[in-house]
């Protein structure tokens, strides 16, 4: 099973792009990368996921390196409500087993 | 539409007791997963059920068990509680089949004294 490594904390100015890195150097070919975030006392909320290609949705963009050993979540215009713990997760292909790391605590500053 | 609902929201038990946590998935979702989140750490996978069958199990002792009912709701049972079982227990549902994102409930906060 792949594991992920994230910086423990980051700050970002409101209105600026927040770029959250994740290392998953032992990821296998059939393992997806998911990003969730967790606001205090709530359950994790899905943001985006990908296998090989870059992905974009209404919340964020996901950039996966060509060798798939790392990825970056981009929140294009961070707001105060984006303050949360962000988890980069590897899901073992064909299963529901999500391997969470310790996450990055993002603080958006006014 | 209602999201994933878990009950109770908070629970206090003493060592050695047994506890049952309940989860109702989003309507139409057939898969339920359980996660344990210790303070300051990410959630850890415990179980996954699909169509009432166990489809995955994490590295937890046999004191942990679960089941899924015909209406797709689920129970997580923990026997012989230890202090280290104190955690937030999260339930997540999905429509079914691999490749789908999970929808998490707000969890049950279990404190073992």
């Amino acid at each position: 099973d792949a594991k992920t490594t994230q910086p423990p904390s980051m700050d970002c100015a409101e209105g600026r792009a927040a770029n959250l890195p994740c290392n998953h150097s032992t990821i296998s070919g059939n393992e997806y990368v998911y990003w969730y975030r967790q606001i205090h006392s709530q359950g994790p909320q899905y943001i985006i996921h990908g296998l090989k290609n870059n992905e974009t949705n209404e919340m964020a963009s996901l950039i996966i390196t060509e060798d798939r050993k790392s990825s970056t979540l981009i929140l294009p215009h961070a707001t105060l409500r984006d303050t949360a713990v962000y988890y980069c997760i590897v899901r073992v292909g064909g299963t529901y087993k999500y391997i969470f790391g310790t996450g990055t605590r993002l603080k958006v500053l006014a | 539409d209602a999201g994933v609902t878990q009950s109770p929201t908070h629970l206090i038990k003493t060592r050695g007791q047994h506890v049952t946590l309940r989860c109702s998935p989003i309507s139409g979702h057939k898969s339920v997963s359980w996660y344990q989140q210790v303070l300051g750490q990410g959630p850890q996978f415990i179980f996954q059920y699909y169509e009432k069958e166990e489809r995955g199990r994490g590295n937890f002792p046999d004191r942990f068990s679960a089941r899924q009912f015909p209406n797709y709701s689920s129970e997580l049972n923990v026997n012989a509680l230890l202090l280290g079982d104190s955690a937030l227990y999260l339930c997540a549902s999905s429509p079914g089949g691999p490749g789908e994102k999970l929808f998490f409930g707000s969890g049950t906060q279990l404190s073992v004294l």
Side-chain angles (χ1 to χ4, degrees), chain B residues 51-112:
Chain B
E51 289 281 16
K52 302 181 289 295
E53 290 189 7
E54 181 182 307
R55 296 297 180 92
R57 183 184 183 114
N59 188 24
F60 280 81
D62 292 343
R63 298 184 297 105
F64 289 76
S65 64
R67 56 180 174 169
Q68 187 177 33
F69 299 99
N71 66 354
Y72 303 109
S73 67
S74 177
E75 285 183 352
L76 175 69
N77 295 283
V78 186
N79 293 323
L81 285 167
L82 304 174
L83 296 179
D85 295 330
S86 295
L88 179 67
Y89 288 85
L90 295 161
C91 173
S93 76
S94 67
E100 296 172 334
K101 60 190 180 187
L102 300 181
F103 295 81
F104 284 85
S106 295
T108 294
Q109 184 65 54
L110 172 65
S111 298
V112 182

